[in-house]
Amino acid sequence: MNRFVGTTVRGIRTPIIKQGDDLVPIVTDSLMKAAEYNNIEFRDRDVIAVTESLVARAQGNYVTTEDIAKDIADKFPDEIGIVFPILSRNRFSIILKGIAESKRKIHILLSYPADEVGNHLIAPEALYQSDVNPYSDVLDEEEFRKTFGDLKHPFTQVDYVALYREICGDTPVEIHFANDPRAILNYTKDVLVAEVHTRNRTKKILEDTGVNKIYTLDDICTKPGKTGGYNPEYGLLGSNLAGKSMVKLFPRDSQKFVEILQEKLVEITKKNIEVMVYGDGAFKDPAGKIWELADPVVSPGHTKGLIGTPNEIKIKYIADNELAGMSGEEAIQKMKEKINEKSEDLSDSDEALGTTPRNLTDLLGSLSDLTSGSGDKGTPVVWIQGYFDSYASE
């Protein structure tokens, strides 16, 4: 066995990106400097992952709460029912501020005990110990607080119900709790579905139940507003707080960006380099129970070589069974033979049991998100090598 290192992941530092910056030469230059300084050689099938925020910031893809308010006012003539928003200071709070600035009366319908990505209003144990039926019961705020008491999140100590009410300011707001989206129709027939991943299902349920006007978050801010920011595909989905009255949207034209960056890197390195834009990593935190995917997708843009799922055998399974009587060099060589001779489709094979059945972009997105982090590491570009290698690669 001549190789002793498999996959290697490096966070690459870049300059601070501002609106209007030409991102392709900046990313390319940062990679070349990292390669030279650390004596790294590019290889075929290296993956360069660029965080979505870098792309959006260079594009200047921002809207203000005023932009949101105008679009909401254009779409909703009077009251508005907001169905199943996630509980987030970074994500939905700034959107809610924009909605409130439209001066429409607001009805917020919150799911319980948690939102769709695992942010909890109450502990599941509190629900089990109550007489509340989560499949049918609709509670108002007073009933909810009387039943469950303290609503502060155990980690952040934020009472999201109180926060969302405070954000609405002078705009009239009522907060209700139910897990059946049709409950919103008791208060208004004009609805904004604020879910991320299950929005289309909820929209269909409401359309079949007599809703009047209905939109989802990807219908809001799809055209340029006063600030020029917009996203024709995702609207407000994937947006983040960028200031007291500013929202950073998910980037536009990510596919075009990765293809241009790939072409430039191939030209310089003479290697087959794959490129992707990544957002949230889609992993679940075991302590906080939060599914880390408030973005609509992990990767809004990626080159063709990153389409598909892994096709790998489970080394532990082979070692425990077919190689049970072998050791040392004999076992190594036999394992390499198994890998080199594996079928092109192992989906129904016992040899692949326990391997991860996820899209390559979702796996690489998780790896990149965990590498770059969301704080002060300053590495919004991630360079991954050896990801497509195996134990048999020399």
Side-chain angles (χ1 to χ4, degrees):
M1 182 166 57
N2 297 325
R3 293 223 1 221
F4 294 93
V5 176
T7 301
T8 303
V9 186
R10 299 177 178 90
I12 305 301
R13 292 180 177 175
T14 68
I16 303 300
I17 302 301
K18 298 293 185 180
Q19 180 176 346
D21 285 346
D22 190 347
L23 201 54
V24 169
I26 292 174
V27 171
T28 302
D29 183 60
S30 298
L31 286 164
M32 296 306 137
K33 287 178 178 177
E36 181 180 2
Y37 184 81
N38 293 280
N39 196 29
I40 309 167
E41 293 184 359
F42 285 88
R43 305 174 194 160
D44 286 328
R45 300 216 75 186
D46 282 3
V47 178
I48 303 303
V50 182
T51 183
E52 57 85 18
S53 64
L54 212 66
V55 182
R57 196 180 312 132
Q59 291 173 343
N61 204 18
Y62 295 84
V63 296
T64 63
T65 52
E66 181 182 352
D67 293 323
I68 296 172
K70 184 179 184 309
D71 204 354
I72 290 293
D74 289 343
K75 289 180 168 64
F76 293 93
D78 191 11
E79 295 185 339
I80 174 173
I82 304 174
V83 174
F84 301 155
I86 65 172
L87 305 171
S88 173
R89 292 170 294 174
N90 179 42
R91 297 285 189 165
F92 188 71
S93 66
I94 189 68
I95 294 175
L96 180 58
K97 182 179 180 182
I99 295 172
E101 287 178 10
S102 73
K103 301 303 180 183
R104 271 62 179 154
K105 181 178 179 180
I106 297 172
H107 295 274
I108 301 176
L109 188 65
L110 296 176
S111 57
Y112 64 92
D115 66 16
E116 65 171 317
V117 294
N119 296 296
H120 277 76
L121 274 172
I122 57 173
E125 294 78 12
L127 179 59
Y128 302 149
Q129 293 165 7
S130 74
D131 294 327
V132 173
N133 183 340
Y135 298 102
S136 60
D137 288 354
V138 181
L139 290 79
D140 62 26
E141 184 177 349
E142 182 179 354
E143 292 171 323
F144 200 81
R145 289 189 180 279
K146 183 177 179 180
T147 302
F148 297 110
D150 184 14
L151 301 183
K152 288 183 179 179
H153 191 278
F155 282 5
T156 64
Q157 292 299 299
V158 173
D159 182 328
Y160 283 99
V161 178
L163 174 65
Y164 283 4
R165 177 173 289 284
E166 179 185 348
I167 286 170
C168 291
D170 295 334
T171 300
V173 58
E174 294 181 13
I175 301 178
H176 317 276
F177 303 82
N179 290 312
D180 185 340
R182 293 171 295 186
I184 196 66
L185 301 179
N186 295 326
Y187 313 103
T188 178
K189 299 283 199 246
D190 294 347
V191 176
L192 175 65
V193 177
E195 289 171 294
V196 180
H197 306 293
T198 48
R199 62 190 183 278
N200 292 324
R201 181 184 68 187
T202 295
K203 182 180 180 182
K204 181 65 166 60
I205 290 171
L206 290 168
E207 287 175 334
D208 292 343
T209 319
V211 73
N212 180 25
K213 292 181 177 292
I214 187 165
Y215 297 93
T216 53
L217 285 178
D218 47 342
D219 294 322
I220 312 299
C221 294
T222 59
K223 297 178 181 178
K226 182 182 291 187
T227 57
Y230 70 103
N231 192 310
E233 184 176 5
Y234 295 113
L236 288 176
L237 287 177
S239 62
N240 292 86
L241 175 73
K244 291 183 178 180
S245 298
M246 187 70 69
V247 180
K248 181 198 68 63
L249 300 179
F250 219 40
R252 302 186 305 269
D253 302 322
S254 294
Q255 190 60 39
K256 180 180 179 180
F257 167 75
V258 298
E259 290 172 2
I260 293 173
L261 179 56
Q262 180 188 49
E263 183 179 354
K264 187 65 174 177
L265 288 171
V266 170
E267 176 188 331
I268 293 173
T269 67
K270 312 303 181 186
K271 301 294 182 181
N272 177 25
I273 308 294
E274 304 291 351
V275 180
M276 66 180 286
V277 173
Y278 69 96
D280 283 342
F283 48 85
K284 185 173 182 177
D285 176 62
K289 312 301 181 187
I290 297 171
W291 180 35
E292 193 67 31
L293 187 56
D295 290 330
V297 293
V298 173
S299 176
H302 45 270
T303 50
K304 293 179 180 179
L306 300 180
I307 297 173
T309 58
N311 187 57
E312 303 171 342
I313 64 173
K314 190 76 168 180
I315 283 184
K316 291 189 294 185
Y317 181 86
I318 302 300
D320 289 342
N321 290 274
E322 296 186 36
L323 309 187
M326 302 181 192
S327 61
E329 192 62 32
E330 181 185 14
I332 291 172
Q333 292 305 316
K334 184 63 177 177
M335 185 68 76
K336 289 184 176 182
E337 290 175 15
K338 288 291 298 182
I339 293 171
N340 288 328
E341 296 169 2
K342 67 184 178 184
S343 168
E344 292 184 2
D345 184 6
L346 293 167
S347 55
D348 295 327
S349 172
D350 287 346
E351 294 177 343
L353 284 175
T355 55
T356 308
R358 293 175 61 190
N359 290 325
L360 289 167
T361 50
D362 294 343
L363 291 163
L364 288 162
S366 292
L367 182 59
S368 300
D369 192 20
L370 288 166
T371 301
S372 61
S374 57
D376 58 8
K377 288 184 173 61
T379 56
V381 174
V382 177
W383 182 359
I384 303 168
Q385 293 192 302
Y387 189 82
F388 295 101
D389 292 351
S390 73
Y391 191 70
S393 300
E394 301 293 346

